[in-house]
Structure formats: C-alpha cells, structure tokens
C-alpha cells in the first residue's frame, strides 16, 4: 500500500457527515432515506477499495451512481443477437403474444387455480392444460410441473422408488450448469443399472439387466450432443416388446418438447412428443420453454395409471407449477391447434423457420440505419443454432450485422447499454445475428447500437 492511498483512506468521510450535505439531502427528498444511506455506504466502500481521494462534488456523483445501481433491477430484458435462438442463459423461449396476454389476465386477479367451478368445491391445478396436451399428442393423461428435471425426479419416484432403473451408459448425460442426469435420477430413490458402453448399447444389454427388482427402463434423448462413428443405440420401439414381456414401464426423457415436425423447414432429427408416445413409451417427459416455445415447466405425458401415480406422489406438491405458467402454457398450446398459426405466432418457431433471405433483408435495414450515424457496418453470412440442447449438430444458415472496430470494447459497450445487446465475437469482429432477434426489436437494436457506440 502506498502512503498516498493510506492517507486517502484515512480521510474518508463518515456516513453522517455525508448525510448532512445539501446534495445528499436533496436525494433524501426524492428517495427513501434508508436507500440513500445504503448508497453512501456503497460509495465509501468503493473509495476505500480504490484508495482514491474524492472531492466534494465527486462524493455526490458517486453516491448518485450507487443509488441508481441499487434501484436497477437485476433481471432486465436484453436483445439476443447471438444467433442462438433458445439461449439458456438468456431465458430460452420468448413467449407468444397470446401467452403474454394470458399471463396479464390471470395475474391481475383471482383464478380457479384449485377450485371446481362446476361443483363449487376444491379442485386441482393438475387438470389445467391436460385436455389440450391429450388432444395435441394423443397421450391418455398428462401432468405439468416446474421443469423437466422435476418431471424426471417425480416420474422415477412414483414409478421406481426403491427399485432399479435400467439405462444406457451413453445416455447418462450432463446438462447445463453441471447438473448430471444420474445425480438427478439418484435423488428419486431409484437405483440406476447402467448397461452397454459409452458409444454402443444393444437390445441384449437391456435383456440381461432386467431382474425381479427392475421397476423401469429409461431412455434419455441425447439432445445436447451428437455421437458419430462406431455407435449403436436402442430406440423405444425396439424396447417395447421387452418391456411388455416383463410388465415394465418405459420412460423417455425427450427434453426438447417438439410438438410439430420441422423437417419441412430443414430441421430434422428431433422426435415429436406424439412420435415418442407412438413408439411405445409409457411416460414421455419434455420442457415447456424449449422447442415448444412456452414458459418454463416440465410436462409428463403418458398412460392414465402412470400419471395418476405421479399426481399422488409426495414430490408432486414440491414441484407444482404456478398459475402464470399454466396460463402461458395453455395459450401457447392453443396455437398448436393450427400448425401454420403456431409456426408464425410462436416466436421460437418463427425464428427457427424464417428464411435466410428474410434475415438478410432485416440485417441490411439495420446496417443501413446505423451507417447513417457514421458507424461502419456490413452484412455477412452467419451460422445460427437452435440452442438449449436441441438439434446440437445443426447449423442454421443466417445473416449478421458486423461492426468494425475493437470487438472487445464494442461488445462491452453494447452489453452495458440500458437495454443490453448480447452479441458474439467471431474472427475478431462483432456479429449481431438477427435470426435470434425478434423482428419487432430491429428498430430498438439499431437505436441501442447508435447510442452505445456514439
């Protein structure tokens, strides 16, 4: 520590002395006193850490800045220009307008969340969305919980607690945030029996593993990676006869939640929920905020008996979904009654199926707009991706606005804007891929770039 920094720290003012200044008194006139006191403490702590001597006017400025930071919400809206449509760190699927309106309607008053309007008695939150899910997937029954991992634990607890679950070693995957499927499954009270090898699992592996204590056969869709080369796996259809022979249910953790086949749009390889059920799975699990394009939730589809057991399991209450998610999911599912409407109105599907030419035209409009402010921008080809583990090997042809200059500095300034713009750096250049930007945000994106880089 230098003598200068030591002296500066000893000269730091007290909280009470700063409170007595006219400038701080004016802040107290406009803000809660306790909040201003906390901002003063923040400013003093920052000055102590930096060892910087501040003038009278500097203190007022630092306290005002600390006050703004304390009043800024930590969760804010951002513009996702990364090209990753279902970006887990950025909240995954943006909701359709119908879903947002449904949340507004339900959030503003009371609801029949757990009230039977016909009988005038207590009802169940688990009845909502069920008829739509049955209609759209062909499932006998369904239950909605707070996420897909919760649905997995609940299903295992209800169907295989204290018993063995047979699963391929090639499906013991790690998902985002270092959460591993075997760890999640172990919490359910079921015992895992691993079969096959990392790259190859055969039908006989499952047959040899089945014993008197086998409660379930589990399949986990390898949604966040792809295996190629010398590989082999067993699909649900091939396991169906084995499971039926031993009267063992099959659980298929589908993950992505795809309800419509996107092969006509160049996206193939992810099974739909209906196809997974048709293949013979007793229970199919999927996320609501991935390819389905709805709110965060976990959906279990399957036989009446299996779903009934899940509803009665003690874990069900701990994992239950709230009224806002139910409202948003219902509104999203209603759009799927018309596939064309779903693809056009559900943002996730609309962004994934947009033609490269339409993305390029939007990029050219944004680039032209910011160029009028003296910012050098060009349009170049880009590879977008689905994200959230879906279609992991697929590169979607796209276009991006690139900005000349110090990429690291520009990225930081865009990220620090009032409406943060999240970009990516490629080949030492800022890339703003508009496939993951909502078309309604194009004008705002151009404004953010102009202000942030002015």
């Amino acid at each position: 520590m230098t003598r200068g920094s030591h002296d500066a720290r000893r000269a730091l003012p007290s909280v009470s002395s700063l409170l007595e200044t006219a400038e701080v008194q004016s802040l107290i006139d406009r803000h809660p006193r306790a909040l201003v006191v906390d901002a003063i403490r923040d400013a003093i702590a920052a000055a102590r850490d930096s060892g910087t001597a501040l003038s009278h006017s500097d203190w007022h400025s630092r306290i005002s800045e600390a006050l703004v930071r304390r009043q800024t919400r930590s969760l804010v809206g951002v513009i996702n220009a990364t090209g990753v449509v279902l970006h887990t760190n950025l909240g995954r699927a943006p909701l359709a307008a119908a879903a947002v309106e449904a949340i507004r309607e339900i959030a503003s008053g009371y609801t029949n969340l757990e009230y039977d309007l016909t009988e005038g008695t207590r009802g169940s939150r688990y009845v909502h969305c069920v008829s739509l899910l049955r209609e759209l997937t062909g499932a006998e029954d369904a239950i909605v919980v707070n996420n897909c991992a919760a649905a997995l634990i609940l299903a295992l607890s209800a169907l295989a607690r204290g018993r063995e679950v047979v699963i391929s070693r090639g499906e013991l995957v790690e998902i985002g945030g270092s959460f591993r499927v075997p760890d999640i499954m172990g919490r359910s009270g079921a015992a895992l029996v691993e079969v096959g090898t990392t790259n190859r699992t055969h039908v006989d592996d499952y047959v040899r593993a089945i014993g008197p204590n086998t409660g379930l056969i589990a399949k986990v869709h390898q949604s966040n990676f792809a295996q190629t080369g010398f590989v082999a796996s067993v699909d649900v259809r091939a396991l169906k006869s084995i499971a039926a022979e031993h009267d063992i249910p099959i659980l298929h953790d589908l993950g992505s939640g795809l309800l419509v086949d996107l092969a006509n749009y160049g996206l193939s390889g992810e099974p739909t929920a209906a196809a997974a059920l048709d293949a013979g799975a007793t229970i199919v699990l999927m996320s609501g905020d991935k390819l389905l394009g709805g709110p965060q939730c976990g959906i279990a589809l399957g036989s009446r008996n299996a779903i009934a057991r899940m509803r009665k399991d003690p874990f069900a209450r701990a994992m239950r979904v709230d009224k806002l998610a139910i409202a948003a999911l219902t509104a999203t599912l209603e759009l799927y009654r018309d596939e064309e409407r779903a693809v056009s109105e559900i943002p996730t599907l609309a962004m994934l199926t947009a033609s490269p030419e339409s993305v390029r035209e939007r990029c050219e409009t944004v680039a032209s707009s910011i160029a009028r402010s003296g910012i050098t921008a060009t349009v170049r080809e880009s590879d977008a991706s689905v994200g959230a583990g879906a279609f992991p090997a697929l590169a979607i042809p796209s276009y991006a606005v690139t900005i000349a200059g110090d990429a690291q500095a520009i990225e930081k300034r865009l990220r620090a804007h009032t409406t943060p713009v999240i970009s990516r750096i490629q080949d030492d250049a800022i890339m703003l891929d508009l496939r993951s930007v909502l078309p309604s945000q194009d004008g705002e994106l151009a404004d953010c770039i102009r202000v942030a880089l002015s």
Side-chain angles (χ1 to χ4, degrees):
M1 180 187 299
T2 65
R3 182 177 180 83
S5 64
H6 175 73
D7 291 343
R9 295 179 188 189
R10 292 187 61 183
L12 288 173
S14 66
V15 173
S16 58
S17 66
L18 288 170
L19 279 170
E20 293 173 357
T21 64
E23 292 86 354
V24 173
Q25 284 297 313
S26 69
L27 292 176
I28 292 176
D29 290 340
R30 303 192 303 274
H31 306 280
R33 188 178 190 278
L35 187 62
V36 176
V37 171
D38 286 337
I40 293 173
R41 289 180 177 142
D42 290 345
I44 293 174
R48 182 183 295 112
D49 291 341
S50 66
T52 304
L54 301 177
S55 67
H56 179 81
S57 60
D58 286 337
W59 277 111
H60 178 247
S61 175
R62 297 293 179 87
I63 293 168
S64 297
E65 290 170 0
L67 189 59
V68 170
R69 284 194 295 273
R70 279 193 168 264
Q71 295 180 98
T72 300
R73 294 174 179 171
S74 61
L75 182 64
V76 298
V78 306
I79 295 177
N80 174 18
T82 64
V84 181
V85 174
L86 291 172
H87 200 305
T88 298
N89 302 102
L90 303 182
R92 291 186 180 165
L95 295 177
V100 174
E101 178 59 22
I103 290 175
R104 189 197 66 77
E105 291 177 1
I106 293 300
S108 60
Y110 296 102
T111 73
N112 64 324
L113 178 65
E114 292 188 351
Y115 185 80
D116 189 321
L117 293 172
T118 302
E119 300 295 329
T121 58
R122 180 170 182 166
S124 170
R125 71 180 62 208
Y126 298 122
V127 303
H128 306 290
C129 299
V130 171
S131 61
L132 274 166
L133 288 167
R134 291 174 58 191
E135 173 190 332
L136 295 170
T137 67
E140 290 182 359
D141 205 351
I143 185 173
V144 180
V145 292
N146 55 22
N147 62 24
C148 197
L152 177 59
I153 291 178
L154 180 59
L156 292 172
S157 175
L159 304 178
R161 174 171 287 276
R163 304 190 70 186
E164 295 175 346
V165 177
V166 180
I167 185 170
S168 167
R169 287 188 174 89
E171 296 168 13
L172 295 175
V173 300
E174 179 178 304
I175 57 178
S178 299
F179 290 98
R180 295 179 173 181
V181 166
D183 296 337
I184 294 172
M185 296 176 76
R187 289 289 183 178
S188 69
L192 299 188
V193 176
E194 303 173 16
V195 300
T197 62
T198 302
N199 60 318
R200 291 178 70 81
T201 302
H202 306 282
V203 170
D204 286 346
D205 294 321
Y206 289 93
V207 173
R208 287 194 298 268
I210 293 175
N213 198 36
T214 303
L216 191 71
I217 296 175
K219 286 285 298 178
V220 177
H221 184 53
Q222 297 175 345
S223 59
N224 58 356
F225 71 100
Q227 287 184 319
T228 59
F230 191 60
V231 298
S233 62
V234 183
D235 61 23
V236 172
R237 198 172 296 278
L239 291 171
K240 184 178 179 180
S241 60
I242 302 170
E245 179 182 349
H246 297 276
D247 194 25
I248 299 171
I250 300 174
L251 179 150
H252 189 182
D253 186 346
L254 196 61
S256 65
L258 187 62
L259 290 187
V260 296
D261 189 354
L262 298 178
N264 291 336
Y265 301 93
L267 287 82
S268 58
E270 290 280 332
T272 64
L277 287 167
D278 184 63
T282 311
I283 290 286
V284 170
L285 309 179
M286 61 186 189
S287 296
D289 59 349
K290 293 183 180 179
L291 288 174
L292 191 148
Q296 176 186 301
C297 62
I299 300 169
L301 308 162
S303 72
R304 291 185 185 88
N305 177 266
I307 297 296
R309 291 170 65 180
M310 290 176 68
R311 285 198 185 99
K312 293 177 182 177
D313 190 278
F315 270 146
R317 183 173 180 85
M319 298 168 177
R320 66 184 185 179
V321 73
D322 80 319
K323 61 184 179 183
L324 303 185
I326 292 173
L329 179 60
T330 300
T332 304
L333 292 173
E334 287 172 345
L335 295 174
Y336 278 97
R337 284 175 161 159
D338 181 338
E339 183 175 323
E340 185 176 339
R341 187 182 180 195
V343 171
S344 64
E345 294 188 25
I346 296 174
T348 295
L349 299 184
M351 288 188 282
L352 290 175
T353 60
S355 68
E357 292 74 21
S358 66
V359 179
R360 177 178 53 78
E361 290 174 2
R362 291 171 54 207
C363 285
E364 290 173 347
T365 299
V366 171
S368 176
S369 176
I370 63 177
R372 289 194 290 270
S373 299
I375 299 171
T376 302
T378 57
V379 175
R380 58 180 283 189
E381 293 182 344
S382 174
D383 286 331
S385 60
V386 177
F391 299 100
L394 179 66
I396 307 175
S398 188
Y399 285 85
V401 176
T402 64
I403 300 175
D406 185 336
Q408 298 289 342
I410 294 172
E411 187 275 337
K412 184 176 181 180
R413 291 172 71 177
L414 290 172
R415 182 163 35 87
H417 190 257
T418 305
T419 299
V421 176
I422 313 301
S423 59
R424 77 173 191 264
I425 297 176
Q426 182 176 319
D427 300 328
D428 295 322
I430 285 291
M431 297 276 287
L432 300 163
D433 191 321
L434 265 63
R435 182 172 290 280
S436 59
V437 176
L438 297 170
S440 61
Q441 293 180 313
D442 287 359
E444 182 181 9
L445 173 61
D447 291 340
C448 289
I449 295 170
R450 280 193 292 266
V451 174
L453 303 186
S454 62

